[in-house]
Amino acid sequence: METAVVWFRDDLRITDNPTLADAVTAADEVVPLYVVDPRKRGETEYGTEKLGAHRARFRRESLLELRAGLQDRGGDLFVRRGRPETVLPEVAGRVDADAVYAQTKPATEELETEVGVRETLPDDVSFERRWTHTLYHVSDLPTSYERMQDTFTPWRKAVERECSVRDLVAPPDAVPTPDLPAGDVPTVSEYGLEAPTDDDRAVLRFEGGESAGKRRLEEYFWEEDRLREYKETRNGLLGAAYSSKFSPWLAAGCLSPRWIHEEVRRYEDERVSNEDTYWLVFELLWRDFFQFQFCKHGSRFFHPNGIRDVEKAWERDREAFDRWANGETGIPFVDANMRELNRTGYMSNRGRQNVASFLADALGIDWRWGAAYFEERLVDYDVASNWGNWAYQAGVGNDSRDNYFDVLSQAEYYDPDGEYVTTWLPELEGVPPEAVHRPWELSEGERAEYGVRPGVDYPEPIIDLEARYEDLQG
Ligand SMILES: Cc1cc2nc3c(=O)[nH]c(=O)nc-3n(C[C@H](O)[C@H](O)[C@H](O)COP(=O)(O)OP(=O)(O)OC[C@H]3O[C@@H](n4cnc5c(N)ncnc54)[C@H](O)[C@@H]3O)c2cc1C
């Protein structure tokens, strides 16, 4: 009798999961396993935490749902605590496994763990890796990732011209599993974190799991018919209707990008095919690009100068960094975005670009501190998407043109009525829209009239931003 262990990592789904499907096909019995690795939490070298409460809760919900899905198929999800390098050989030995099937990912620590597991498995247990988290398969690229270009557009065009997306893999009908102690799915408090409280202002209550992810697509594509206006509205800041919000489910692997792609095609057949529908796939290609860039450059993405041959002198001013992180810079657009992140675990793409540019360009602070802070806070944190985008924004990554975001004009353009900043900074509610992005310019009379006291109930700006932008231009 053949037995296979299926080691779930960031692929917490049953639909279109080749790792699970191949194991079920090859073996008579499978052991679906999730390992709670102590190295995934704790303090980083930047003084931040690796795991925050929003992502911990999302993962718990995703694991509970995966367990329920496997139980519906006659199986279960076994949860064990410890280093995968120790747990996998133990479990494989206990069930006399012939093989371990696992998702493979490009990030450095994940790869090290994977190599460690392979080395500690006995020789007669084969280690089967599956690449399952991108739209295009790594083996189908026009050039191998080692030789891929570091610039997005030519790479994307070559992929669109020369590759096709593979078909979905059907979910197994049955998952025959031996009788073993199940093990508890970790709670948020097991990580020493406090469960997050919900906030009415959040764009969504992100609920982990494959069916919640599918429900979000159902709502966004089919019920509310938003895909037809995706590109036009994706730079929004408030509410569920702008952009798909698929990122947390993609990051945990609750949704497969190929499944989303198939739904886009179905929408294009049944409703409308336009630039907006194409643009969602275009964004999934950005996601793929960073994954393959990580395969190519590996740990260089964690260097202060990133993947580029530039020498930048980064500031390491802890006090200024803390003001940024806590949303207390006195620049409303930055503060509103950071407070949203801190309260809800999510921030729009427009917000992320602006706060990242503010930290790295305007304050000149080591962008890796910001990336590490996002790692702690984001519900959708993904190594490649996060560090790749941060490096890009800091001018040390891909396509970098040393362009900074002028946060003040961005705020005035994308939040002309000040609705976004006053949602997250109620202390500025009384200030009229034309002044709300620059409260420091208010006269004494205006301050009294609008009931705002910069320096008392809202901070004075941490820097003279306009002067700083002049310097950057000069
Ligand atoms: C500094 C910075 C840090 C970021 N960190 C992360 C991160 O840790 N995890 C993460 O998933 N995204 C990250 N992003 C990318 C992007 O901001 C989010 O994917 C997006 O805002 C999520 O919302 P959405 O699902 O509604 O996106 P949509 O606009 O609906 O896009 C659909 C999907 O495409 C992908 N996508 C879109 N834009 C990008 C992009 N620029 N790079 C990579 N993939 C993209 C995401 O998977 C997203 O879910 C970061 C961007 C910046 C500027």
Side-chain angles (χ1 to χ4, degrees):
M1 188 173 94
E2 295 282 313
T3 304
V5 175
V6 183
W7 176 27
F8 281 93
R9 302 178 82 193
D10 294 326
D11 55 347
L12 307 181
R13 65 172 181 273
I14 290 176
T15 307
D16 192 35
N17 188 337
T19 318
L20 174 66
D22 288 353
V24 169
T25 306
D28 304 296
E29 264 189 349
V30 297
V31 181
L33 178 71
Y34 184 78
V35 185
V36 185
D37 185 342
R39 288 165 300 185
K40 294 260 179 196
R41 56 184 193 261
E43 200 176 317
T44 68
E45 62 185 289
Y46 310 104
T48 53
E49 290 294 319
K50 274 194 167 177
L51 178 67
H54 286 100
R55 203 161 69 258
R57 177 174 71 179
F58 190 89
R59 190 144 285 246
R60 171 175 167 77
E61 292 164 351
S62 303
L63 288 167
L64 287 172
E65 164 138 6
L66 177 63
R67 171 169 278 174
L70 291 165
Q71 285 171 346
D72 286 346
R73 289 165 172 78
D76 208 336
L77 178 70
F78 303 105
V79 178
R80 297 288 181 270
R81 283 151 179 80
R83 291 176 171 238
E85 299 90 317
T86 317
V87 173
L88 262 302
E90 259 170 33
V91 172
R94 173 153 181 193
V95 298
D96 195 18
D98 302 282
V100 169
Y101 284 73
Q103 179 199 38
T104 183
K105 289 197 78 179
T108 324
E109 286 173 10
E110 281 72 6
L111 268 180
E112 274 167 18
T113 307
E114 202 175 296
V115 171
V117 167
R118 199 204 313 232
E119 280 168 1
T120 51
L121 283 176
D123 290 342
D124 60 346
V125 179
S126 68
F127 190 59
E128 300 282 340
R129 302 190 308 161
R130 296 289 181 274
W131 181 273
T132 65
H133 71 292
T134 53
L135 182 59
Y136 289 92
H137 195 279
V138 66
S139 311
D140 299 342
L141 296 178
T143 57
S144 69
Y145 61 77
E146 289 97 338
R147 290 187 296 117
M148 81 182 276
Q149 305 183 46
D150 291 341
T151 314
F152 176 65
T153 304
W155 177 82
R156 171 184 60 79
K157 287 185 175 163
V159 171
E160 287 176 336
R161 212 175 34 239
E162 295 171 40
C163 308
S164 42
V165 175
R166 292 188 182 184
D167 290 340
L168 298 185
V169 173
D173 294 330
V175 181
T177 298
D179 198 15
L180 294 170
D184 292 333
V185 168
T187 58
V188 178
S189 59
E190 179 176 331
Y191 299 118
L193 299 165
E194 236 173 79
T197 50
D198 293 335
D199 192 307
D200 290 346
R201 297 166 294 180
V203 291
L204 269 187
R205 158 65 168 94
F206 289 104
E207 188 190 337
E210 183 172 341
S211 59
K214 287 182 169 171
R215 262 201 315 278
R216 170 61 190 161
L217 184 139
E218 183 66 28
E219 169 191 86
Y220 183 75
F221 280 22
W222 301 106
E223 289 164 18
E224 296 182 357
D225 208 12
R226 301 277 180 204
L227 186 55
R228 62 174 69 236
E229 58 182 31
Y230 166 72
K231 182 167 182 251
E232 245 175 273
T233 54
R234 66 181 291 270
N235 281 310
L237 299 164
L238 282 168
Y242 81 86
S243 86
S244 73
K245 318 290 187 312
F246 294 158
S247 52
W249 291 283
L250 280 164
C254 302
L255 289 182
S256 132
R258 297 195 296 217
W259 180 79
I260 295 174
H261 177 256
E262 190 137 307
E263 288 289 301
V264 173
R265 292 286 171 259
R266 187 160 77 86
Y267 183 95
E268 290 178 334
D269 286 345
E270 295 178 17
R271 298 261 169 104
V272 63
S273 171
N274 60 17
E275 208 189 345
D276 297 73
T277 59
Y278 162 73
W279 214 261
L280 191 80
V281 179
F282 174 95
E283 293 300 340
L284 290 175
L285 268 158
W286 262 114
R287 179 174 175 274
D288 273 18
F289 178 71
F290 285 123
Q291 300 299 325
F292 298 127
Q293 278 287 304
F294 253 69
C295 293
K296 177 176 175 183
H297 295 293
S299 60
R300 285 182 64 201
F301 269 107
F302 305 110
H303 289 180
N305 300 325
I307 61 166
R308 290 179 93 201
D309 213 4
V310 290
E311 201 56 53
K312 293 209 181 197
W314 298 108
E315 300 285 338
R316 302 210 163 74
D317 178 343
R318 184 55 66 177
E319 202 186 313
F321 174 77
D322 287 344
R323 281 184 65 177
W324 173 85
N326 296 329
E328 288 170 359
T329 65
I331 311 293
F333 197 54
V334 172
D335 294 344
N337 273 291
M338 293 307 292
R339 291 191 201 181
E340 180 186 6
L341 172 68
N342 291 336
R343 281 293 299 144
T344 71
Y346 183 83
M347 189 196 290
S348 68
N349 185 57
R350 186 57 45 185
R352 295 181 204 205
Q353 290 170 322
N354 275 279
V355 301
S357 174
F358 183 79
L359 185 81
D361 301 321
L363 298 179
I365 291 179
D366 190 340
W367 62 278
R368 298 172 309 157
W369 290 16
Y373 189 73
F374 268 35
E375 175 168 350
E376 174 181 330
R377 295 287 164 151
L378 279 176
V379 66
D380 63 15
Y381 170 72
D382 169 86
V383 188
S385 291
N386 188 59
W387 290 79
N389 271 293
W390 265 96
Y392 178 107
Q393 216 57 63
V396 298
N398 305 97
D399 273 20
S400 297
R401 286 173 225 119
D402 281 329
N403 272 353
Y404 63 87
F405 274 72
D406 180 333
V407 172
L408 297 177
S409 32
Q410 289 267 314
E412 282 155 358
Y413 186 80
Y414 289 104
D415 186 30
D417 302 328
E419 200 188 339
Y420 177 70
V421 292
T422 49
T423 297
W424 291 101
L425 307 171
E427 57 271 44
L428 298 180
E429 228 162 39
V431 184
E434 61 279 10
V436 77
H437 292 298
R438 301 163 187 262
W440 57 90
E441 287 178 1
L442 296 173
S443 66
E444 284 306 324
E446 287 167 328
R447 288 173 191 215
E449 187 187 341
Y450 307 144
V452 58
R453 294 167 303 167
V456 181
D457 42 26
Y458 183 67
E460 291 286 4
I462 188 169
I463 52 167
D464 180 341
L465 205 47
E466 277 166 327
R468 175 68 181 146
Y469 288 147
E470 273 175 33
D471 282 354
L472 287 172
Q473 274 165 3

